[in-house]
């Protein structure tokens, strides 16, 4: 858009005075509209403004132009049998919209239900969909993660967008998609088409989102531009200069501070577990991991990303100038601003071809410590596990690949054991969640404090329960055995496929079979699967017999008649899944199993004996969750290995 065109697009709204206070906003918008309309009539460009109160007397769609009158919406809802007569009267009794806001927002707050048997709740989205249908326009929910705010804000000024209650949400070479909550207010369409030389595609979105995101997008875009202007956007050509720019001055730039704060809060809102900030040749990319899947959130100029990375490194007390070596750091902050719950963020940097890549792992204590049910334990499994972890001594292993939820299970377990009478100590790498009830030690290879050294030191501290982050060498395995033999309960993790393989792994690490038998008391194997979104999951017919038989082998059970499939809605960001749960395979050592281990049996023999004693494989645990409608067969097959491999 050239300068002149931009000035034109801004012109009508500039005549208005915008009161920033929220309570005044609607009134101002109305005033702005009248003023604009008057201006247009004068210049012969636009239709006269609608008179809301009178338009309502004619419940014909075509008769409505201009801003949506509350009366019109209410009457149309009654005509469509969406609202009862008595509810309608209640709304109309409260008065005109100029005092209360957009009709859709007003109605949504009253929590009406349809008068028919469905008793459907007339919430913001439902009413917005209804309005879209009335206007013959597509409905759209604005997903801020999919809007390139730096581009859309160039389409029109903030004042123009606010003045017409519209917000551009996508720009392609031929088209501008503009969200509106005033579908009968059309005078801006031609203007924007002329200025942008693109077709305007209107979609209807809810008024609350439009107002909120208009403020946020324009503010953020301004911050990014502000940060770019202060020199941060220099190309990566001059490394030395960048190192200098990357010092505290730039990272403390108010714009950068704001963008970083916003991204962090946004990640908490979206339940993200990780934030990736990846410098590329032309753009910096910000991605969130939500329920195990990465979503691209924003693209920012490389210089801005550099400033953001520096800012975060500052917060994490890392060496800001050092950019060629990987570094670690930690930030404690609060989700939802001051007064919110405390959240810990682990930072790590890595030099890449186009600059420093930063990954932030978010450890939300509320998410890290969970109940057994939330972890995916059935009642029976929770009972067995509770008994196991209350034994005075022995080794309990939690096994699974990285990202299978081992840490969450261990922390949740240790938190239960750590009381005034019980000393729980850990040796970890890294300490993923700092907790006041635990005595935690960080492994430091630099000063030769490995897992085994840490464990040795710990033993002199009279612990009752010990957690060793991971058993990955013979020395650590031997120390763990020693600790268990001297009356301690030892928890640790292994990277093995299933519970039975852990026995083989310990033997491989050099622990004699008789010592495995003497110390190991149980192994928990686990995996994470995504759980179906309860708001949108749909019933479908069950799987065929063969597929089901393979899933639950060596157990037998008839396939369920119905299962649930993912659909996708607003709650779940259209993925059909919301949150994750664990698949649990719990091996408890028995006399029969010890006999098998003692004589060096095959792995499969061990698995089958365990199954005879009641061990349910990861896939059986998953099958149960499929039957319960918690997850899907696809998720279980993806996450869990077959019983025999
Ligand atoms: Zn959903």
């Amino acid at each position: 858009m050239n300068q002149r065109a931009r000035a034109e697009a801004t012109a009508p709204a500039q005549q208005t005075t915008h009161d920033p206070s929220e309570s005044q906003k609607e009134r101002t918008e109305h005033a702005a509209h009248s003023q604009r309309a008057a201006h247009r009539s004068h210049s012969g460009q636009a239709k006269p403004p609608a008179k809301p109160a009178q338009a309502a007397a004619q419940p014909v769609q075509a008769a409505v132009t201009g801003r949506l009158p509350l009366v019109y919406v209410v009457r149309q809802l009654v005509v469509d049998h969406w609202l009862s007569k008595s509810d309608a009267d209640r709304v109309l009794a409260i008065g005109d919209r100029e005092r209360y806001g957009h009709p859709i927002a007003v109605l949504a707050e009253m929590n009406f239900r349809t008068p028919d048997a469905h008793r459907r709740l007339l919430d913001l989205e439902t009413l917005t969909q209804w309005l879209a249908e009335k206007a013959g326009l597509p409905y759209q929910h604005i997903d801020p993660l999919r809007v390139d705010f730096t581009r859309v804000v160039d389409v029109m000024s903030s004042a123009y967008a606010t003045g017409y209650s519209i917000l551009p949400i996508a720009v392609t070479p031929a088209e501008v998609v503009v969200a509106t909550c005033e579908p009968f207010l059309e005078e801006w369409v031609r203007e924007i088409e002329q200025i942008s030389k693109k077709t305007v595609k209107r979609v209807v979105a809810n008024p609350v989102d439009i107002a909120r995101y208009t403020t946020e997008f324009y503010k953020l875009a301004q911050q990014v531009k502000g940060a770019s202007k202060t020199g941060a956007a220099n190309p990566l050509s001059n490394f030395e200069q960048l190192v200098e720019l990357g010092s505290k001055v730039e990272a403390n730039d108010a714009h950068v501070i704001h963008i970083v704060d916003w991204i962090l809060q946004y990640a908490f809102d979206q339940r993200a577990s990780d934030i990736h900030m990846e410098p590329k040749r032309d753009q910096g990319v910000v991605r969130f991991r939500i329920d195990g899947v990465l979503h691209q959130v924003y693209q920012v100029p490389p210089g801005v990303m550099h400033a953001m990375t520096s800012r975060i490194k500052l917060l994490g007390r890392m060496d800001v100038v050092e950019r060629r070596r990987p570094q670690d750091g930690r930030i404690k902050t609060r989700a939802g601003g001051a007064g919110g719950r405390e959240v810990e963020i682990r930072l790590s940097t890595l030099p890449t071809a186009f600059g420093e890549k930063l990954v932030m792992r978010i450890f939300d204590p509320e998410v890290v410590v969970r109940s057994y049910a939330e972890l995916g334990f059935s009642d029976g499994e929770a009972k067995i596990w509770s008994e196991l972890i209350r034994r005075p001594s022995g080794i309990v292993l939690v096994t699974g690949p990285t990202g299978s939820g081992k840490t969450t299970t261990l922390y949740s377990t240790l938190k239960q054991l750590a009381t005034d009478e019980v000393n729980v100590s850990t040796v970890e790498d890294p300490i993923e969640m700092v907790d006041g009830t635990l005595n935690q030690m960080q492994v430091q290879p630099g000063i030769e404090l490995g897992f085994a050294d840490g464990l040795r030191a710990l033993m002199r501290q009279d612990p009752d329960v010990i957690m060793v982050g991971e058993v990955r060498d013979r020395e650590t395995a031997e120390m763990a055995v020693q600790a268990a033999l001297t009356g301690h309960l030892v928890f640790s993790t292994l990277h093995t496929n299933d519970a039975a393989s852990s026995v083989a792994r310990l033997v491989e690490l050099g622990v004699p079979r008789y010592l495995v038998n003497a110390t190991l008391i149980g192994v928990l194997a686990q995996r994470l699967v995504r759980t179906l979104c309860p708001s949108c999951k749909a019933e479908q017919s069950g799987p065929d017999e063969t597929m089901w038989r393979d899933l639950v082998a060596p157990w037998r059970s008839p396939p369920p008649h119905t299962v649930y499939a993912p659909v996708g809605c607003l709650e779940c960001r259209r993925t059909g899944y919301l949150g994750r749960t664990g698949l649990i395979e719990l091996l408890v050592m028995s006399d029969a199993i010890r006999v098998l281990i003692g004589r060096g049996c095959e792995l499969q023999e061990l698995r089958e004996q365990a199954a005879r004693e009641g061990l349910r494989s990861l896939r059986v645990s998953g099958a149960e969750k499929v039957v319960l409608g918690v997850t899907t067969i696809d998720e279980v097959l993806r996450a869990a290995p077959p019983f025999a491999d």
Side-chain angles (χ1 to χ4, degrees), residues 409-426:
T409 302
L410 278 174
Y411 277 129
S412 304
T413 301
L414 293 178
K415 282 283 280 181
Q416 294 204 11
L417 297 177
T419 58
D420 287 346
E421 296 82 37
V422 178
N423 174 356
V424 179
S425 300
T426 73

Side-chain angles (χ1 to χ4, degrees), residues 533 536 568-569 572:
C533 169
C536 65
C569 69
C572 57

Side-chain angles (χ1 to χ4, degrees), residues 26 79 168 203 236 276 301 328 362 412 420 433 484 503 510 517 532:
E26 276 300 328
V79 170
V203 295
L236 279 163
H276 292 239
D328 291 327
I362 300 171
S412 304
D420 287 346
M433 185 193 77
V503 173
N517 275 342
L532 283 161

Side-chain angles (χ1 to χ4, degrees), residues 26 45 107 167 206 232 288 315 344 346 352 396 438 445 454 504 506 519 574 576 593:
E26 276 300 328
Q45 277 181 333
L107 282 161
L167 177 64
N206 85 57
F288 287 176
L315 293 175
E344 179 165 323
R346 300 261 331 171
T352 68
V396 177
L438 312 174
L506 283 180
T519 54
R574 306 214 178 278
I593 288 173

Side-chain angles (χ1 to χ4, degrees), residues 179-211:
T180 176
C181 54
E182 292 292 354
F184 305 116
L185 188 62
E186 294 167 289
E187 59 206 63
W188 54 270
V189 175
R190 220 184 52 185
E191 251 173 14
I192 295 299
E193 287 189 334
Q194 280 171 359
I195 292 162
S196 64
K197 310 232 167 0
K198 296 174 198 283
T199 315
V200 165
K201 183 191 171 198
R202 290 186 301 153
V203 295
V204 175
N206 85 57
V208 177
D209 279 357
I210 289 184

Side-chain angles (χ1 to χ4, degrees), residues 477-498:
E478 280 172 354
M479 281 304 302
V481 166
Q482 208 52 46
L485 287 174
T486 50
H488 302 91
L489 185 62
V490 182
F491 289 90
S492 193
T493 69
L494 277 180
H495 283 266
T496 58
N497 255 341
D498 67 346

Side-chain angles (χ1 to χ4, degrees), residues 181-297:
C181 54
E182 292 292 354
F184 305 116
L185 188 62
E186 294 167 289
E187 59 206 63
W188 54 270
V189 175
R190 220 184 52 185
E191 251 173 14
I192 295 299
E193 287 189 334
Q194 280 171 359
I195 292 162
S196 64
K197 310 232 167 0
K198 296 174 198 283
T199 315
V200 165
K201 183 191 171 198
R202 290 186 301 153
V203 295
V204 175
N206 85 57
V208 177
D209 279 357
I210 289 184
R212 172 184 163 197
Y213 293 130
T214 303
T215 313
E216 281 187 1
F217 290 167
Y218 281 94
K219 198 165 160 197
L220 270 176
Q222 203 186 354
Q223 310 279 11
V224 168
K225 280 175 188 157
S228 304
K229 242 180 257 151
T230 52
N234 284 356
L236 279 163
S237 53
N238 191 334
F239 185 75
E240 293 307 314
Q241 187 193 352
L242 263 176
V243 168
E244 224 158 83
L245 278 173
S247 68
K248 298 171 190 199
V249 180
E250 181 190 337
N252 281 330
D253 183 300
H255 300 301
V256 174
I257 292 174
H258 180 85
I259 298 168
V260 167
D261 288 353
W262 198 82
I263 294 239
L264 290 181
Q265 289 308 326
Y266 208 69
F268 303 147
D269 280 358
Q270 297 290 326
R271 304 174 297 108
S273 58
D274 306 81
I275 306 171
H276 292 239
M277 309 218 332
E278 300 164 346
K280 306 279 185 211
R281 188 187 294 278
D282 308 314
Q283 284 289 346
V285 177
V286 181
R287 298 199 287 176
F288 287 176
R289 187 180 296 281
I290 303 167
D291 292 337
V293 181
L294 276 174
H295 299 266
Q296 180 167 322
V297 184

